[in-house]
Amino acid sequence: MGYQRRTGSCSRRLFCFPNSAFTNPPLAVTRSGIEPTTTWQEPPHRVEPVAKEPPPKENPMAKKLLEDNLSKQLASLMPRITEDVELIYSLDERDASADLKQLLEDIAALSDKVTTREDADAHERKPSFTIARKGTDIAVTFAGIPMGHEFSSLVLALLQVGGNPVKEDEELLDAVKGLDGEYEFVTYMSLSCQNCPTVVQALNAMSVVNPRIKHTAVEGSLFQDEVNDKGVQAVPTVFLNGEEFVSGRTDIADFVHKLDTGAAARDAKKLNEKGEFDVLVVGQGPAGAAAAIYVARKGMNVGLVGERFGGQVLDTMSIENFISLKYTEGPKLAAALEDHVNDYEIDVMKAQAATGFTPASEQGGVHTVHFGDDATLKARQVVIATGANWRLMNVPGESEYRNKGVTFCPHCDGPLFKGKDIAVIGGGNSGVEAAIDLAGIVKHVTVLEFGENCRADDVLMDKLNSLDNVDVITSAATTEIVGDGKSVTGLKYTDRTTDEEKSLELSGVFVQIGLLPNTKWLEGSGIETSGPGEIVVDDHNATNIPGVFAAGDCTAIPFKQIVVAQGAGANAGLSAWEYSVTGGKK
């Protein structure tokens, strides 16, 4: 969302990949841990750190990654380390090894609780380092240099291994502690991926809570041969005990659900035991958060349930038209939404996907939302704000090669296709912006547009046309994704002007053809939807079913923007409150 850029590409920042790897935003302490912030916020009860004397001598060949301002911010967090921590590193002859050594020495200089030690045999991958709590099995490992988006992962791991408590629901942490067996996780990530830190930080925290869980985060750009051998063509991708386990944004609750066979039954029991809500908001994106807050401010009993807090905003890299914020990023805005929601008495239920809806049998009755086979939540009023998701081409090979060359996030996955030929499907703003971003990394980009002309803004088309390694093919209908069984090797398309079948040899396909509403779970419920499945609402965001409202990208509003969704969510929340007061009478 925001600036109509919900593809993960960089809005109005046409060259975001090459120089972004070592760009680190200031840090702030939040309820969820360490978060980037545009303005440094001093943590409460700041204690001035005592620096080691003398400071380490800098390697003249190494880059100084920990700039003075960032070093000062990190120093203010060091008093939170209460246990002795050792940074154990293994190096090779690459420049990155010298950079890593300098970074670790600079970090260690900020606290007497932190020391460094080189051990050539400690890691097979080089450069790598482990953050270990001395005298224990508690440790996390990074292969590469966790800067960029991953710098917050480094800081959080340092604090958690150093004794700072993992900030998560106690019941969820107990489930992590109770996991039986030995788990060896490896996460392949890129420094420009905004979804990767969620996965890296989740597994790092799990390994601190349960030492039987081991985790290594691998920076793909420094270990390209390994990435290619594993067939990794999307990040984050997680391997468990040598086998591919999961790909995409995954948090602690998601991992527990996948590892603990009894978790789903326990969650269903918890949902079924909840009482009836005045208002239940389904969906935790901007529209859902706004609706929940406005209802809670009226003193009503409100529940907020969804698959992931922030929704599609989490997949957005750059937001430049959220009024009052000149620039922010999706994960940061999502964290702010959650933080705001937590200021109210709202029952937040995460990692729950609605699977069905049964409307009340009579006006003023109780509506039922279904989750899986056995769980339900009930409410007098319901606000549906389940957003939208990537629109698929629905051609042969697309699903077979998803995350094996077919992908949707240029900012996350672009670095994996460095030096390769790729295609972008779609000539709208999102597609053209993706092509511009990718052109700075890959060997060649081909944009395929179904229509006679690309639909992107003129300023974007001017930039696209200035690039030497980009071709645009219009009137092109993609008909098949071709692969060798392991990864994409090309695609086929029809020239709509001549009906001629043509093909392209390439390694990746980035699909940028718009969105579809997440409303399939409403089929058979009687809620009126449009042709694409968007929910039809009136000016009060009311559906055709009394007591049921809807807001955001799942509705038939013409503009899919964050600020529009939030306004609609507020409208739906106020309308639900009004309905409870008047009984639907106007």
Side-chain angles (χ1 to χ4, degrees):
M1 292 170 136
Y3 201 73
Q4 200 69 5
R5 308 288 191 256
R6 298 174 296 171
T7 64
S9 58
C10 297
S11 172
R12 298 296 191 196
R13 297 166 68 202
L14 302 181
F15 298 101
C16 53
F17 286 114
N19 298 317
S20 64
F22 300 112
T23 300
N24 304 290
L27 304 171
V29 181
T30 71
R31 299 180 181 183
S32 58
I34 307 299
E35 296 288 348
T37 176
T38 54
T39 304
W40 167 242
Q41 300 173 1
E42 182 175 320
H45 311 298
R46 175 172 175 170
V47 179
E48 291 297 332
V50 178
K52 295 179 181 179
E53 296 292 347
K57 185 178 180 179
E58 293 185 10
N59 183 341
M61 300 300 293
K63 296 178 184 175
K64 185 174 177 59
L65 303 180
L66 200 62
E67 297 176 354
D68 291 342
N69 187 45
L70 199 60
S71 178
K72 182 179 179 181
Q73 297 166 27
L74 181 56
S76 68
L77 299 175
M78 286 303 194
R80 296 171 179 266
I81 297 177
T82 59
E83 304 284 347
D84 289 333
V85 172
E86 191 171 32
L87 307 179
I88 306 164
Y89 59 88
S90 305
L91 308 177
D92 59 13
E93 300 302 319
R94 290 185 286 178
D95 290 343
S97 286
D99 296 343
L100 176 61
K101 182 179 180 180
Q102 184 68 61
L103 172 65
L104 298 180
E105 290 178 344
D106 288 345
I107 292 173
L110 300 176
S111 172
D112 287 328
K113 288 287 187 180
V114 182
T115 58
T116 63
R117 173 167 62 89
E118 183 173 1
D119 184 344
D121 299 324
H123 307 93
E124 182 177 350
R125 303 177 185 88
K126 296 179 177 65
S128 290
F129 70 99
T130 294
I131 305 173
R133 184 183 298 177
K134 288 185 177 180
T136 73
D137 294 330
I138 297 173
V140 300
T141 298
F142 291 91
I145 308 177
M147 300 298 283
H149 284 292
E150 290 299 338
F151 186 71
S152 59
S153 301
L154 167 58
V155 175
L156 200 55
L158 185 65
L159 296 181
Q160 290 173 344
V161 173
N164 201 56
V166 174
K167 298 179 181 179
E168 189 53 81
D169 178 76
E170 285 298 325
E171 189 171 343
L172 183 58
L173 293 180
D174 287 341
V176 174
K177 294 174 185 177
L179 291 172
D180 293 326
E182 302 291 328
Y183 303 92
E184 185 75 35
F185 286 100
V186 176
T187 301
Y188 293 93
M189 52 83 171
S190 72
L191 301 182
S192 57
C193 169
Q194 71 268 27
N195 286 325
C196 293
T198 297
V199 177
V200 172
Q201 291 170 21
L203 289 172
N204 283 349
M206 290 172 67
S207 66
V208 170
V209 172
N210 183 346
R212 293 187 303 276
I213 299 172
K214 304 299 181 185
H215 178 232
T216 300
V218 179
E219 181 194 340
S221 66
L222 282 180
F223 300 93
Q224 194 67 51
D225 289 343
E226 180 178 345
V227 167
N228 292 336
D229 290 343
K230 293 285 188 181
V232 175
Q233 293 187 306
V235 290
T237 293
V238 178
F239 280 68
L240 172 59
N241 298 335
E243 300 293 329
E244 187 170 340
F245 182 65
V246 68
S247 182
R249 189 182 183 94
T250 313
D251 60 18
I252 295 178
D254 296 325
F255 282 113
V256 169
H257 274 266
K258 291 179 180 296
L259 297 170
D260 184 354
T261 55
R266 290 196 301 271
D267 282 354
K269 184 174 183 293
K270 286 174 60 178
L271 292 182
N272 290 331
E273 290 175 347
K274 290 185 180 291
E276 177 186 300
F277 291 100
D278 293 333
V279 178
L280 178 65
V281 181
V282 186
Q284 296 174 337
I293 288 173
Y294 269 79
V295 170
R297 287 175 63 86
K298 294 295 184 180
M300 302 182 76
N301 175 26
V302 56
L304 178 59
V305 63
E307 291 186 72
R308 54 178 189 159
F309 211 105
Q312 199 178 354
V313 166
L314 292 167
D315 301 326
T316 307
M317 178 56 204
S318 176
I319 301 168
E320 296 182 352
N321 67 341
F322 190 84
I323 310 307
S324 80
L325 285 178
K326 293 182 179 180
Y327 174 82
T328 188
E329 296 177 355
K332 182 184 173 185
L333 179 60
L337 289 174
E338 184 172 6
D339 195 52
H340 196 175
V341 164
N342 287 335
D343 284 339
Y344 296 88
E345 293 185 7
I346 297 172
D347 189 347
V348 179
M349 297 155 279
K350 297 182 183 179
Q352 300 295 333
T355 55
F357 179 73
T358 303
S361 58
E362 59 183 7
Q363 185 167 341
V366 177
H367 306 285
T368 303
V369 180
H370 302 267
F371 301 86
D373 297 328
D374 305 315
T376 60
L377 292 173
K378 299 181 183 295
R380 292 284 172 176
Q381 283 82 236
V382 173
V383 177
I384 300 169
T386 45
N389 215 327
W390 307 111
R391 182 188 296 271
L392 303 178
M393 296 182 292
N394 293 317
V395 300
E398 182 180 29
S399 60
E400 292 86 339
Y401 290 104
R402 186 164 183 172
N403 294 330
K404 297 297 181 183
V406 175
T407 184
F408 301 86
C409 180
H411 196 76
C412 296
D413 301 334
L416 299 177
F417 295 88
K418 182 178 180 180
K420 299 179 181 180
D421 294 336
I422 63 98
V424 173
I425 311 300
N429 280 340
S430 296
V432 170
E433 225 183 24
I436 293 169
D437 288 340
L438 290 165
I441 301 175
V442 305
K443 180 180 179 182
H444 187 270
V445 180
T446 302
V447 178
L448 286 86
E449 162 59 32
F450 185 85
E452 295 181 0
N453 298 289
C454 289
R455 296 161 285 110
D457 294 342
D458 289 344
V459 63
L460 293 176
M461 290 305 302
D462 289 343
K463 182 60 187 177
L464 185 74
N465 292 330
S466 72
L467 301 175
D468 294 334
N469 63 336
V470 177
D471 290 331
V472 178
I473 302 175
T474 58
S475 298
T478 304
T479 57
E480 183 180 357
I481 303 297
V482 181
D484 59 7
K486 295 182 179 180
S487 60
V488 169
T489 59
L491 64 75
K492 296 180 181 179
Y493 70 96
T494 299
D495 185 333
R496 297 176 58 239
T497 62
T498 64
D499 287 332
E500 182 182 358
E501 296 292 329
K502 299 184 178 181
S503 63
L504 293 172
E505 293 185 2
L506 40 80
S507 300
V509 178
F510 290 77
V511 183
Q512 301 284 302
I513 56 174
L515 302 166
L516 282 177
N518 294 320
T519 57
K520 192 172 180 61
W521 63 283
L522 296 171
E523 290 180 358
S525 67
I527 293 179
E528 182 184 357
T529 59
S530 63
E534 296 176 331
I535 301 171
V536 177
V537 294
D538 64 14
D539 55 0
H540 285 260
N541 282 90
T543 71
N544 62 307
I545 294 181
V548 180
F549 305 83
D553 286 9
C554 65
T555 66
I557 57 172
F559 303 110
K560 314 299 187 183
Q561 299 285 309
I562 294 173
V563 68
V564 174
Q566 283 197 315
N571 194 45
L574 290 172
S575 296
W577 166 77
E578 182 182 58
Y579 184 92
S580 70
V581 173
T582 65
K585 298 177 182 179
K586 298 178 181 179

